[in-house]
Amino acid sequence: MPEWLVTTILILVKLGFVFFLLLTGAAYMVLAERKLLGRMQLRYGPNRVGPFGLLQPLADAVKLVTKEDFIPSQADKFLFFIAPGIAAVTALLTFAVVPFGPPIRLFGREVPLVICDLNIGVLYFLGLSSLAVYGVTLGGWASNSKYALLGSIRALSQLISYELSMGLAIVPVVLMARSFSLTNIVNAQAGLPFAILNPPAFLIFLVSVLAESKRIPFDLPEAENEIVAGFHTEYSGMRFGLFFVGEYINVIILSSMVTVLFLGGWHGPLLPGIVWFFLKVGFISFLFIWTRGTLPRLRYDQLMHFGWKILVPLALVNVIVTGAILLLLNPAKG
Amino acid sequence: MTAAIFYILSAAALLATLMAITRKNPVHAVIYLVHAFFALALIFFILGAPLVAAWEVIIYAGAIMVLFLFIIMMLELTPGEAARGPGWQRWAPVILLSGSIVVCTLLLMTAEPQAGPGGPNFYASPRDFGYGLFKEYALAVEIVSFQLLFAAVGAFYVGRGERTRRRARGDER
Amino acid sequence: MNLYQDIKATAQAYWITLRNMFRKPVTIQYPEQKRVPFERYRARIVLTRDPDGGERCVACYLCSAACPVDCISMQAAEAEDGRRYATWFRINFTRCIFCGMCTEACPTRAIQMTADYEICRRDPLTLVYEKEDLLIDGPGKEPDYNFYRHAGIGVVNPRGQGEEERPPADVRSLLP
């Protein structure tokens, strides 16, 4: 077999694996969330469809597909059609740079367990997460409904504000790993994960990620009891499903970014690397669900206050302090 | 090969900008402008500056344009009913633009831009870029950032409004 | 310090939800696990019979008048012995709110509520109960009560022979 064919097949296999994993992961994340929230509220959660409700995602999908597909008459149809796609695709694409395991040996060659090891992987992640805003915004605007518009305005300002602190929380990681590549960042954490070396950055990143995912306590863009369902008020059927799945894919992606950037990726004792990676991602996802079961929603001014007056200055100070310490430990050579 | 992609992207950027300045609906204009930024980002990538390309997407397409959208939505700048809900054919330029940008991206992913003729004769890694920015041209960068700070303070002053300014001066009746 | 309080409160909240996750849920799994209702639970309405097997309902329309959602309707008629009854009696359970006003209004204890709460159908029209569906073969909650032993004098019972009733006084002999 020629070399390029093997490479192409390997990439396709990895793509299929990641795609399958992400989509089923997102579907079962919904189930896991409903189950866990149920247990936290002393309920069982869905347990009717299949054993322990394990077929619930399938039932949900069938329900969403067979629902009436409604488009408001005054909507901007093209944007209305395309917005959920933007939301889901930007979420899916991000996983391309996430290394989910140590390189393995297949057919006598080294196969890195990452679809594309970009040398600017961190920036790729930031870029896509900032583009994800468009799905929400354009969807809300194109619906031509006041609730959707309010929701998307909220989403806009929230995502922009917290992207800033998220980006600033990544800077110390890049400084410590001396690379923008996610694989190098994971390898730099072979000893101690950055969460222990730099806990302020870890906490800031965790909170910002929670806000990026638009979930409780930062779910103001879709605050049900204020603005119906926010930006997806007018969406129904599979288009709503795309927004919904996109949100959960986003949770998985953001959890894996936390894992890669701060928890040492696949590094861990005893178990094989890939298991460690998924365990850590699962734990962070559980943290998301746990938070949803615990905290109430912030008020809008509290959200902005917290983002701009607390997180961003803290992150800036953290960047300077980390840089200074790194400079002291190994002075610049040239 | 690279040269061809460069010209396609340039044409796409020009077309997108042209569409952006002729749209009546500001949101549609923003969408075209975002396409222009994408095309520009790819051009930067071809020229051997992946970091600038990434920043083009993150900062211009991802942050500045989003802020534009925010303002447009806050002020309800959209014209009346007539401009709403255009048919599919009015969106043909967008489909064309995004299609060509995606195709160019795929081509660039398969073919190394540094190879073929017309490619750049240098490649700015993030490290080189950082050295250039904060060592070689540090003074210029600092001056520009101060300019931005002045602009921000000025905007803040203007934005406070006449009344609060008068109160701050202490000559409120 | 304020920050300390905040952190403590947040940690406590997380701890409570985590602890609750390992407690037994309070849910009653309905179709398999049925809840036993209380004795005086107000659900499906029935029409009862008196201990002798006759219909208690005298079609007085009081229940229908008391019903706040107007779900009871009937047509009164009189039997040959002068006893009143309902030719048809209809309760629309799609409208019934199970408030119990009809049972309070009923002078003959005919209309009563049972604890049968499982009233749901796919076709709402099957929830319109006619007299045949409503009548049960028993006295319900008042096993010994028969309205006609206390009232309906001169209609089904001869004068002066009912329970708790003295023979009619002769007006003329009562004169002093």
Side-chain angles (χ1 to χ4, degrees):
Chain A
M1 254 198 299
E3 190 73 359
W4 62 269
L5 194 65
V6 179
T7 316
T8 318
I9 288 174
L10 273 175
I11 284 181
L12 283 181
V13 166
K14 278 192 285 188
L15 260 181
F17 175 70
V18 164
F19 216 65
F20 172 78
L21 212 70
L22 269 183
L23 289 180
T24 43
Y28 277 93
M29 177 98 188
V30 179
L31 179 69
E33 167 156 60
R34 289 173 66 183
K35 280 265 190 198
L36 285 172
L37 279 183
R39 294 311 284 241
M40 284 173 193
Q41 296 157 4
L42 299 186
R43 299 182 284 114
Y44 282 104
N47 61 356
R48 292 285 134 182
V49 195
F52 304 109
L54 281 178
L55 298 179
Q56 184 71 36
L58 203 69
D60 285 345
V62 169
K63 187 196 82 174
L64 282 175
V65 169
T66 50
K67 276 219 166 185
E68 183 193 356
D69 192 13
F70 180 78
I71 302 171
S73 61
Q74 289 294 303
D76 197 321
K77 290 196 186 55
F78 180 77
L79 291 180
F80 190 77
F81 266 106
I82 229 166
I86 299 177
V89 165
T90 46
L92 272 174
L93 278 179
T94 313
F95 211 83
V97 290
V98 175
F100 48 88
I104 49 169
R105 295 212 136 265
L106 265 185
F107 312 121
R109 56 189 286 174
E110 192 107 313
V111 180
L113 281 184
V114 52
I115 292 172
C116 178
D117 184 20
L118 280 183
N119 59 354
I120 50 167
V122 175
L123 294 179
Y124 176 84
F125 160 68
L126 282 176
L128 275 179
S129 78
S130 59
L131 289 185
V133 185
Y134 281 106
V136 173
T137 313
L138 293 178
W141 180 79
S143 302
N144 203 1
S145 138
K146 50 178 171 284
Y147 299 118
L149 187 71
L150 282 173
S152 52
I153 289 178
R154 285 182 175 196
L156 263 180
S157 43
Q158 173 181 333
L159 291 181
I160 287 201
S161 315
Y162 280 82
E163 223 160 67
L164 205 61
S165 52
M166 186 172 77
L168 285 174
I170 296 181
V171 173
V173 172
V174 175
L175 286 178
M176 288 190 283
R178 292 173 161 267
S179 170
F180 273 121
S181 152
L182 290 177
T183 313
N184 292 350
I185 288 176
V186 169
N187 281 329
Q189 300 176 72
L192 270 177
F194 287 153
I196 294 170
L197 288 177
N198 197 341
F202 174 59
L203 287 178
I204 294 168
F205 189 73
L206 206 61
V207 174
S208 316
V209 148
L210 215 57
E212 279 294 297
S213 68
K214 303 190 287 294
R215 289 164 58 86
I216 290 171
F218 302 104
D219 68 334
L220 285 118
E222 38 196 301
E224 289 87 359
N225 31 24
E226 299 164 27
I227 47 173
V228 192
F231 57 90
H232 54 61
T233 303
E234 302 293 336
Y235 280 90
S236 60
M238 210 48 222
R239 259 189 278 288
F240 166 74
L242 273 180
F243 267 132
F244 196 66
V245 168
E247 186 191 323
Y248 282 90
I249 294 175
N250 218 359
V251 169
I252 295 179
I253 301 273
L254 292 172
S255 305
S256 31
M257 286 314 288
V258 174
T259 308
V260 165
L261 291 175
F262 288 98
L263 297 182
W266 66 75
H267 290 298
L270 295 175
L271 297 167
I274 196 159
V275 176
W276 266 113
F277 178 80
F278 285 114
L279 270 179
K280 286 171 181 172
V281 171
F283 175 70
I284 299 293
S285 305
F286 170 71
L287 207 63
F288 273 72
I289 296 169
W290 190 11
T291 306
R292 180 171 173 185
T294 304
L295 296 181
R297 184 182 304 131
L298 260 68
R299 222 168 49 218
Y300 204 77
D301 60 318
Q302 290 170 332
L303 176 93
M304 284 295 144
H305 177 89
F306 187 59
W308 286 102
K309 296 188 184 165
I310 296 177
L311 280 189
V312 171
L314 257 182
L316 277 172
V317 169
N318 190 30
V319 168
I320 294 169
V321 170
T322 313
I325 290 174
L326 283 175
L327 206 62
L328 280 178
L329 288 182
N330 33 353
K333 284 167 220 91
Chain B
M1 173 69 173
T2 317
I5 294 176
F6 174 80
Y7 285 118
I8 294 172
L9 284 172
S10 312
L14 279 177
L15 176 68
T17 321
L18 202 67
M19 293 300 282
I21 56 173
T22 50
R23 289 311 90 187
K24 281 218 175 60
N25 191 325
V27 174
H28 297 175
V30 165
I31 291 164
Y32 281 107
L33 210 51
V34 169
H35 279 90
F37 285 134
F38 274 124
L40 275 180
L42 282 179
I43 290 173
F44 276 125
F45 183 72
I46 292 175
L47 293 178
L51 199 68
V52 182
W55 282 352
E56 185 83 20
V57 173
I58 296 172
I59 294 173
Y60 283 94
I64 305 234
M65 282 298 107
V66 170
L67 281 178
F68 272 39
L69 269 184
F70 180 72
I71 302 298
I72 290 165
M73 285 180 173
M74 283 286 272
L75 301 182
E76 269 291 342
L77 284 178
T78 18
E81 301 296 312
R84 291 270 189 188
W88 291 91
Q89 55 277 37
R90 284 189 56 184
W91 285 105
V94 162
I95 299 168
L96 184 78
L97 283 171
S98 40
S100 59
I101 288 170
V102 166
V103 167
C104 289
T105 316
L106 289 176
L107 284 175
L108 283 176
M109 273 165 70
T110 47
E112 282 293 307
Q114 283 78 30
N121 38 21
F122 69 97
Y123 177 79
S125 73
R127 201 180 297 268
D128 304 336
F129 188 82
Y131 275 121
L133 209 58
F134 292 109
K135 269 227 155 92
E136 220 168 311
Y137 304 106
L139 188 65
V141 169
E142 288 309 313
I143 288 173
V144 169
S145 56
F146 268 108
Q147 283 274 317
L148 286 175
L149 194 65
F150 298 153
V153 171
F156 179 68
Y157 180 73
V158 174
R160 274 173 81 197
E162 189 55 38
R163 187 131 172 278
T164 39
R165 236 177 293 160
R166 223 184 301 148
R167 197 183 299 147
R169 281 203 304 268
D171 49 335
E172 182 85 333
R173 273 173 291 127
Chain C
M1 196 185 154
N2 216 351
L3 187 67
Y4 169 73
Q5 288 289 329
D6 293 349
I7 291 172
K8 199 179 136 199
T10 315
Q12 259 173 351
Y14 274 97
W15 166 242
I16 285 171
T17 39
L18 189 71
R19 197 185 54 199
N20 273 351
M21 219 167 68
F22 298 104
R23 280 168 60 185
K24 195 177 154 32
V26 293
T27 315
I28 292 172
Q29 306 254 38
Y30 167 59
E32 294 95 39
Q33 218 180 342
K34 278 178 190 165
R35 160 181 236 157
V36 181
F38 296 107
E39 262 173 60
R40 291 172 53 169
Y41 194 86
R42 299 195 311 241
R44 189 167 60 88
I45 298 170
V46 290
L47 285 176
T48 55
R49 292 175 186 275
D50 59 33
D52 307 326
E55 284 173 25
R56 269 175 174 163
C57 178
V58 294
C60 62
Y61 291 98
L62 281 178
C63 51
S64 164
C67 183
V69 289
D70 282 346
C71 67
I72 306 178
S73 51
M74 74 193 85
Q75 175 64 55
E78 204 164 291
E80 275 161 34
D81 59 351
R83 187 174 163 146
R84 279 167 60 96
Y85 70 100
T87 48
W88 52 265
F89 193 102
R90 189 175 294 146
I91 297 182
N92 186 347
F93 278 114
T94 58
R95 290 168 80 179
C96 182
I97 56 170
F98 306 104
C99 61
M101 298 265 223
C102 46
T103 60
E104 277 170 31
C106 186
T108 65
R109 302 276 186 273
I111 194 162
Q112 288 184 9
M113 302 190 94
T114 62
D116 175 20
Y117 55 85
E118 289 176 307
I119 326 172
C120 73
R121 302 286 151 73
R122 292 210 176 265
D123 180 10
L125 278 183
T126 56
L127 277 172
V128 179
Y129 276 40
E130 296 294 337
K131 192 175 172 184
E132 306 84 68
D133 312 316
L134 292 165
L135 258 181
I136 58 164
D137 286 334
K141 289 172 188 168
E142 302 269 352
D144 304 322
Y145 181 72
N146 187 343
F147 172 76
Y148 283 106
R149 293 205 195 119
H150 305 277
I153 317 286
V155 180
V156 288
N157 292 337
R159 270 188 181 277
Q161 285 176 16
E163 283 171 30
E164 305 155 22
E165 189 190 9
R166 280 176 294 176
D170 185 358
V171 208
R172 289 172 216 290
S173 65
L174 265 179
L175 283 173

